[in-house]
Amino acid sequence: MTTSSSLSGASLADDNDESLAERAKQQIRQMILVGELPGGAVVQDRRLAEKLGLSRTPVREALGRLAGEGYLRRDRRILTVHSVSIEDVMEILATRRVLEGETARLATGRLAPARIAEIRAAVEGMVSAAAVSHDKHWSVDDLVHLSIAEAGGNGLMARMVKDLRERTRMFGLARIPRRFDPGKGEHLAILAAIEAGDAEAATRAMQSHIDNARQGILDLLAGTLARDAR
């Protein structure tokens, strides 16, 4: 006969395994996003378990979840980090243009003035490209885009924006230096339109910002290809 104490113990063990798997998933996902595990890298559960200080069981579970979410690709028994191609990132940015234009419209009248002031201060606090780390730049960029998406009140859209931004980051392209100051100005223009209650201007400003980011990527890639061809 199964006792209540044994059932309780099993439940606690299951909860612990679940939390360890989720912790491993978040840590491995972060390694992918920051490029520690770049696109195409072979992922081995044993090595990751050693690195994270965990047993292989939660790490295997975490890798299965990440594969299901598209961060990893499975070829028979081999797992590799999913590579985001230039075609992928162009499609992602085209989708973000539509989604984030709408979230900017929805956020108008919903994003609290105090929150706008907080975001504006973070943007203006990035004085120069040389003084801002890659991670800090992404953090502020997330603050702008995700705060607007969340303020729009459509949870599905907000989750899609977050996911697509992560896919953009997985493209692995370093920050575009010439986009630093223009990008700051575009973020401030989006915030100003939202603060003014002009939903149409907020939509246009967001879509223009994403268009310019797309062009910046294309220009940088074209310059890289031209140098390689010399």
Side-chain angles (χ1 to χ4, degrees), residues 24 33 35 38 55 60 113 132 144 162 207 221:
L33 294 179
S55 70
R60 284 197 196 103
V132 179
V144 175
K162 183 175 185 294
Q207 291 180 335
L221 290 174

Side-chain angles (χ1 to χ4, degrees), residues 150-200:
E150 289 162 4
N154 186 313
L156 177 58
M157 278 190 181
R159 290 191 296 275
M160 290 175 70
V161 167
K162 183 175 185 294
D163 179 68
L164 289 171
R165 283 182 53 75
E166 290 177 353
R167 308 292 168 174
T168 305
R169 192 173 184 183
M170 285 173 64
F171 182 55
L173 191 64
R175 186 175 59 200
I176 304 170
R178 75 172 187 83
R179 283 286 302 151
F180 184 81
D181 288 325
K184 280 179 59 179
E186 291 157 14
H187 280 159
L188 294 173
I190 296 165
L191 294 172
I194 291 173
E195 187 173 43
D198 191 336
E200 295 306 314

